[in-house]
Amino acid sequence: MSRVAAEAAPTGSNGAPESEGGEEPTPPRVRSRFAAWLRRHRVPLLLLLLLCGVVIASVWGRADHDTTALSPANPAPDGAMAAAEILADQGVDVQHHQTLAEALAALDDNPGATLLFLDPSGYLTGEQREDLADAAGRVVLVEPSFEQLADFAPQIRSAGVLPPDPERHRLDAGCSSEDAEAAGAIEAGGKTYRGPVTCFPAPGNQGAGAAGSYAATKGGSAVVLGSADLLANESVALEGNAALAFRTLGPDETLVWYQAGPFDIPASEAPADPFALLPPWVNPLLFWLLLVACAAAFWRGRRLGPLVEEPLPVIVHAAETAEGRARLYQDSRAVAHAAATLRAAAMTRLAAHLRVGPGAGVATVTRAAANASGRSYSEIDHLLNQRLPGTGADLVRWAQDLKDLEEEATSS
């Protein structure tokens, strides 16, 4: 029936059956080879797909905005985009710069502009800070260090940090500064400072000479904000933080918002390249040693040839096994062990030929061998059970005597 159906099926020009729709079917061998290839490489393929997924997810989810703390382009809680946008809405030209050259150029183009200086990591040197102080008409510092205060506002001194608190401290103005009175109170943490004008003292530390989160020089040419909370997105709307920040940063038409970075480190201050300290002949020597190591690896490396087929199982003749074991006994001089093996083999063969039964003892086999050979029991007992060869020659003579006994016992 199937043969008749096959003969009746339409065929193409080459005699092969045609599939419906005129499409040639995929050969089964190709499909099986592809499936086998997939099974063999499934682990590398899965790892490759996983790597591609991680790369796509990282690229897709990568933030396209600035992530620097207190950056005017950072919308995160620690950024300062909200303060910058409100200042821009009030007509202040906020210029964000991240290199010293750009900041100096902006200050030269806008004489009298306010400089907001942020360098918490201390990238700039004293000379660079002095250049900025000379170029800026007015400077606002956020949590400055001792060195930054000495260069920008020598009249203001650091006075420590606010006492630790689970939340930010609510600090009242406590001074006659117009900006501080407009703010009324702020919520902030951070550092405290002392200067000609000191506002927002720590709780329980009010009075003359108290340190506060806001300090300024007479005339307001330098202002110190002791807390980044006054500008951060997450806290700028608390209490009078926004009022103090906007009045401090926005009195001039232009605000140069400068955040120092590692690119501002001068070449003389940058860490030395350890390779630059080496003699000039070290690099050629290292390259030559690398070539020698590669050549040695190629020379001494194991190079596998083509696979050699070996028919299995391998047949090992009994004579070869016996000879190999005998050579092992000879090399190790195991005369006693060899004698015990010969004795056990002789007793087994005699017991099987004389049919004394599988449960027969040594004495029974010895008596049967004496009866079959015609010798006395004591002679056979001495030969089978008591004689102990001491040398290889004694072992050979004793083995010959055992052979003679077996021939006598089995010939009858």
Side-chain angles (χ1 to χ4, degrees):
M1 187 77 178
S2 60
R3 180 179 179 182
V4 173
E7 292 177 353
T11 59
S13 58
N14 57 354
E18 294 182 352
S19 61
E20 296 181 1
E23 297 180 356
E24 294 184 359
T26 304
R29 182 175 299 178
V30 175
R31 291 196 298 268
S32 61
R33 287 181 179 178
F34 181 70
W37 183 86
L38 284 179
R39 288 194 300 269
R40 188 166 58 254
H41 298 87
R42 60 181 180 272
V43 175
L45 289 176
L46 290 176
L47 293 177
L48 182 60
L49 290 175
L50 179 62
L51 178 61
C52 293
V54 171
V55 172
I56 293 174
S58 61
V59 173
W60 185 269
R62 183 176 56 189
D64 56 354
H65 53 74
D66 192 353
T67 58
T68 306
L70 296 185
S71 171
N74 183 4
D78 61 344
M81 177 181 285
E85 290 183 349
I86 295 177
L87 286 171
D89 293 340
Q90 299 298 322
V92 179
D93 181 15
V94 180
Q95 299 184 10
H96 181 213
H97 300 290
Q98 294 178 301
T99 63
L100 179 61
E102 294 177 353
L104 290 174
L107 292 173
D108 292 339
D109 296 338
N110 301 276
T114 298
L115 170 65
L116 174 60
F117 178 72
L118 298 167
D119 187 13
S121 300
Y123 291 119
L124 299 190
T125 63
E127 295 180 358
Q128 292 173 319
R129 290 192 294 266
E130 290 176 1
D131 294 339
L132 277 174
D134 295 339
R138 181 172 174 272
V139 179
V140 178
L141 308 175
V142 179
E143 298 186 12
S145 62
F146 293 100
E147 295 80 5
Q148 295 170 5
L149 284 175
D151 294 327
F152 288 102
Q155 300 176 8
I156 301 176
R157 303 181 309 277
S158 178
V161 297
L162 288 172
D165 192 278
E167 299 179 355
R168 300 177 182 87
H169 297 273
R170 185 184 186 279
L171 307 175
D172 296 323
C175 67
S176 59
S177 171
E178 295 181 0
D179 296 341
E181 291 179 350
I186 62 173
E187 281 195 20
K191 302 178 180 180
T192 60
Y193 299 88
R194 288 189 180 94
V197 178
T198 303
C199 303
F200 303 102
N205 196 23
Q206 289 82 3
S213 292
Y214 175 94
T217 59
K218 291 182 179 180
S221 60
V223 179
V224 174
L225 300 179
S227 176
D229 297 334
L230 299 173
L231 301 179
N233 294 328
E234 62 179 349
S235 54
V236 69
L238 300 177
E239 293 292 340
N241 292 5
L244 181 62
F246 300 149
R247 292 180 66 91
T248 303
L249 299 178
D252 300 316
E253 296 181 356
T254 303
L255 172 64
V256 178
W257 196 306
Y258 170 52
Q259 293 179 287
F263 295 104
D264 292 327
I265 300 176
S268 59
E269 299 291 335
D273 184 6
F275 293 99
L277 304 177
L278 298 175
W281 50 266
V282 172
N283 290 337
L285 179 61
L286 292 177
F287 181 72
W288 174 251
L289 291 177
L290 179 61
L291 289 180
V292 172
C294 293
F298 180 78
W299 170 51
R300 298 297 296 177
R302 183 178 180 183
R303 294 183 294 275
L304 300 177
L307 296 177
V308 178
E309 295 183 1
E310 181 179 358
L312 294 176
V314 178
I315 299 176
V316 180
H317 299 284
E320 296 179 2
T321 304
E323 182 179 358
R325 181 176 297 180
R327 291 187 182 278
L328 291 176
Y329 288 156
Q330 182 181 7
D331 294 340
S332 60
R333 297 181 181 180
V335 176
H337 192 79
T341 302
L342 292 175
R343 191 192 316 276
M347 295 289 285
T348 301
R349 289 191 295 269
L350 287 172
H353 181 76
L354 298 176
R355 299 178 182 179
V356 295
V362 175
T364 303
V365 177
T366 302
R367 185 175 294 106
N371 295 334
S373 63
R375 300 186 189 183
S376 64
Y377 176 84
S378 59
E379 179 183 359
I380 299 302
D381 181 60
H382 178 268
L383 177 62
L384 287 178
N385 304 321
Q386 301 179 16
R387 187 172 174 180
L388 298 175
T391 63
D394 294 342
L395 181 66
V396 172
R397 288 192 294 269
W398 180 65
Q400 185 62 43
D401 293 341
L402 288 179
K403 181 180 179 182
D404 294 340
L405 173 63
E406 289 186 37
E407 290 178 354
E408 293 176 5
T410 59
S411 62
S412 59

